[in-house]
Amino acid sequence: MAARDAGSGTVDEDRAGRTGRRGQRLNRNRLLETALHIVDQHGVDALTMRRIATELQVDPMTIYRHVKNKDALLDGVVEQLWSQVWPQGPDSEEWKAVLSHLGRGLRDVMMRHPSAGPLLLSRPVLPGSALVVLKHALDVVKDAGFTEQEAATIVRCVSSVALSDSALRVTYELPQRPHNASGEPDPEQLISLTQLLPPDTPPDLVRVAWTICPPLETDDDFGFTLDLIVAGAEHLRNRA
Amino acid sequence: MAARDAGSGTVDEDRAGRTGRRGQRLNRNRLLETALHIVDQHGVDALTMRRIATELQVDPMTIYRHVKNKDALLDGVVEQLWSQVWPQGPDSEEWKAVLSHLGRGLRDVMMRHPSAGPLLLSRPVLPGSALVVLKHALDVVKDAGFTEQEAATIVRCVSSVALSDSALRVTYELPQRPHNASGEPDPEQLISLTQLLPPDTPPDLVRVAWTICPPLETDDDFGFTLDLIVAGAEHLRNRA
DNA sequence: CGGTATTAGTCTACACTGTAGACGACAAAG
DNA sequence: CTTTGTCGTCTACAGTGTAGACTAATACCG
């Protein structure tokens, strides 16, 4: 609507005459970036074609030149997220290090983009960026003496846990407080948690929720989970 | 629309005069059941207030007497799904058995309701029905000599894997074939898989997708995953 | 039983969604 | 210059979730 008239002022300030206010023409990457940006700031439900369009100062229909439809756009965002986890860290030969790198990479993405969690989980799409990451992990684990099927199981295990475990805890994220090492609930946090649950939840079940989703997740916490899987994998190798 | 005029024919055939064609009045359970039913048959996207209403032969607005809004309805469906996994199986004292029961229970739900997978994962809600199940697992594991935090980690691990691992593979579900024990791709299935991926995926990455999501998941397959976690847990206990 | 309060169902209306289809502006190729 | 193809725009439409006012059915209490 207001996309054209303002642009007609000066012609040289932009790359070309009529194209979007921000100079450069729209392309898939810029599109997906702002889409992710909107999700981060206002949640998945706010991700509307029209909203992206206004953010980009462009007509809603323009988006369809770069993406088939909204589903494809969402898949693109997922692709974008996967591309943020780097296939190899330092120490990229040691299988344990690689698995832990994979797990932490996925978890980091989740923590950086909390409201994108549902997206990542609800569209179990395997874009190229995901496959690259998985391939490296798979290869290293195989080279460590596992069969291909074993390697697949292990890698699936790590990614599943990293993704859905993180998502669960990010969703129930509580107002973070100084850090309370004991397992005992801080009253204020307990109240917040209770309000997230169905209102008629009996106290002992609230307690269960508290145990499953403790408020602050330290890195060591997730390291513990990773150790568990790695230990399981090793045990599995030494038995045959 | 057509909900009233037909009812005025005979009064005694139904419980009461005007109430929904199917006799009984609408209640939350019947509502959630048909909602789930629609998801099963036509996918999450087909789950529309209006569609549920026609299925129930009721005005769309009636639904709002039993559920606050659509989000609450979706949460209700999730609750419904969790209530399908039974807290305790036979052998409900042995912690390994309980964990495996939990994992398989969740996986079974996923396989019974493939298109509800995204729902279950994208709304990481902890309804009462979930908390009951988790509580039992948590208690048994704790009694087996784990600390509360350890127990939480283990239970989270099992549920995460069962849920998201299953979801991934259900989504990429391939036309099932006789069962091909070797890891080698059946050509026809390979084609199907390739079509599910972005069209420009290079062959070696298609191969990765194949490895991560092998076509037929046998029970033993998942048992393998469960063993891994249980072994990891045990290792963890024996060390302190 | 009658009268009254509460609920369950209905109708209408509205703001908002994704997107098809026709059209204009521009760049590159001939 | 013309042609061709791409990118952005406009208009329009069917379908969505749901607020609000109205009506019929039930539950409750004397």
Side-chain angles (χ1 to χ4, degrees):
Chain A
M1 37 172 56
R4 183 183 39 215
D5 36 345
S8 58
T10 321
V11 187
D12 289 10
E13 67 174 3
D14 289 349
R15 201 94 184 88
R18 186 261 289 265
T19 67
R21 174 112 325 38
R22 250 355 286 118
Q24 50 202 313
R25 297 172 34 168
L26 187 51
N27 60 27
R28 198 178 126 97
N29 246 312
R30 203 152 68 89
L31 174 57
L32 297 182
E33 273 170 22
T34 63
L36 179 52
H37 194 239
I38 291 176
V39 172
D40 282 341
Q41 293 201 315
H42 307 97
V44 229
D45 292 344
L47 192 66
T48 302
M49 296 311 242
R50 286 171 164 89
R51 173 139 201 183
I52 307 174
T54 41
E55 200 91 353
L56 290 164
Q57 291 180 280
V58 131
D59 185 276
M61 281 324 254
T62 302
I63 299 177
Y64 290 88
R65 298 283 162 183
H66 300 92
V67 123
K68 181 155 171 284
N69 53 25
K70 190 173 182 184
D71 273 355
L73 185 140
L74 294 178
D75 287 347
V77 173
V78 171
E79 175 191 333
Q80 196 93 345
L81 289 170
W82 270 98
S83 78
Q84 288 184 21
V85 3
W86 294 105
Q88 36 199 340
D91 219 356
S92 64
E93 299 309 319
E94 224 285 289
W95 66 280
K96 295 183 186 179
V98 169
L99 285 180
S100 135
H101 179 77
L102 169 65
R104 282 185 201 282
L106 282 171
R107 153 153 298 213
D108 286 351
V109 169
M110 276 294 196
M111 312 272 301
R112 258 201 307 277
H113 307 277
S115 26
L119 244 187
L120 207 45
L121 283 168
S122 72
R123 332 202 102 243
V125 135
L126 292 180
S129 43
L131 293 175
V132 171
V133 175
L134 295 175
K135 175 175 169 42
H136 180 248
L138 225 38
D139 286 347
V140 172
V141 174
K142 251 189 310 191
D143 286 350
F146 292 92
T147 73
E148 183 159 52
Q149 294 182 25
E150 287 169 337
T153 301
I154 295 170
V155 169
R156 262 200 316 264
C157 219
V158 170
S159 359
S160 297
V161 167
L163 282 178
S164 89
D165 179 302
S166 307
L168 179 66
R169 303 181 64 179
V170 159
T171 308
Y172 279 83
E173 191 177 16
L174 299 176
Q176 304 230 348
R177 320 208 81 222
H179 188 17
N180 175 356
S182 84
E184 281 320 298
D186 168 292
E188 213 160 308
Q189 288 182 328
L190 191 53
I191 292 174
S192 307
L193 175 63
T194 309
Q195 290 169 342
L196 288 175
L197 298 173
D200 55 342
T201 312
D204 59 328
L205 293 187
V206 174
R207 169 80 202 207
V208 171
W210 173 269
T211 309
I212 292 287
C213 303
L216 181 59
E217 49 184 349
T218 64
D219 281 349
D220 308 34
D221 194 358
F222 185 58
F224 190 66
T225 304
L226 278 174
D227 286 350
L228 192 154
I229 297 178
V230 170
E234 190 142 41
H235 164 90
L236 205 132
R237 180 172 58 169
N238 295 339
R239 130 197 120 171
Chain B
M1 35 176 65
R4 182 183 41 211
D5 35 347
S8 58
T10 321
V11 187
D12 290 8
E13 66 174 3
D14 288 348
R15 200 95 185 88
R18 189 258 290 263
T19 68
R21 177 112 323 34
R22 253 355 284 120
Q24 51 203 314
R25 298 174 35 169
L26 186 51
N27 60 27
R28 196 178 127 97
N29 246 312
R30 204 153 67 89
L31 174 57
L32 296 182
E33 273 170 22
T34 62
L36 179 53
H37 193 239
I38 292 176
V39 171
D40 281 343
Q41 292 202 316
H42 307 96
V44 230
D45 292 344
L47 191 66
T48 301
M49 297 309 241
R50 287 172 163 89
R51 172 140 202 183
I52 306 176
T54 41
E55 200 90 354
L56 290 164
Q57 292 180 279
V58 132
D59 185 277
M61 277 318 204
T62 302
I63 299 177
Y64 290 88
R65 298 284 154 170
H66 303 272
V67 122
K68 183 156 170 287
N69 52 26
K70 190 173 182 184
D71 273 355
L73 185 140
L74 294 178
D75 287 347
V77 173
V78 171
E79 176 191 334
Q80 197 91 346
L81 289 170
W82 271 98
S83 78
Q84 288 184 22
V85 2
W86 294 105
Q88 36 199 341
D91 219 356
S92 64
E93 299 309 317
E94 223 286 289
W95 66 280
K96 295 183 186 179
V98 169
L99 285 180
S100 133
H101 179 77
L102 170 64
R104 281 185 202 282
L106 283 170
R107 153 153 297 214
D108 285 350
V109 169
M110 276 294 196
M111 312 270 303
R112 258 201 308 276
H113 306 278
S115 28
L119 244 187
L120 207 45
L121 283 167
S122 72
R123 331 204 103 242
V125 135
L126 291 181
S129 44
L131 293 174
V132 170
V133 175
L134 295 175
K135 176 176 169 43
H136 180 249
L138 225 38
D139 286 346
V140 172
V141 174
K142 252 190 309 191
D143 286 350
F146 291 92
T147 73
E148 183 160 49
Q149 294 182 25
E150 288 169 336
T153 301
I154 295 170
V155 170
R156 261 200 317 264
C157 219
V158 169
S159 359
S160 297
V161 167
L163 284 178
S164 87
D165 180 301
S166 306
L168 178 66
R169 302 181 63 180
V170 159
T171 307
Y172 279 83
E173 191 177 17
L174 300 176
Q176 304 230 348
R177 320 207 82 222
H179 188 19
N180 173 357
S182 84
E184 281 321 298
D186 169 292
E188 212 160 310
Q189 288 183 327
L190 192 52
I191 292 174
S192 308
L193 175 63
T194 309
Q195 290 169 342
L196 288 174
L197 299 173
D200 54 343
T201 312
D204 60 327
L205 292 187
V206 175
R207 169 81 201 207
V208 171
W210 174 269
T211 308
I212 292 288
C213 304
L216 182 59
E217 50 184 349
T218 65
D219 279 349
D220 308 33
D221 194 357
F222 185 59
F224 191 64
T225 304
L226 278 174
D227 286 350
L228 192 156
I229 297 178
V230 169
E234 189 142 42
H235 165 90
L236 205 131
R237 179 172 59 169
N238 295 340
R239 131 196 120 170

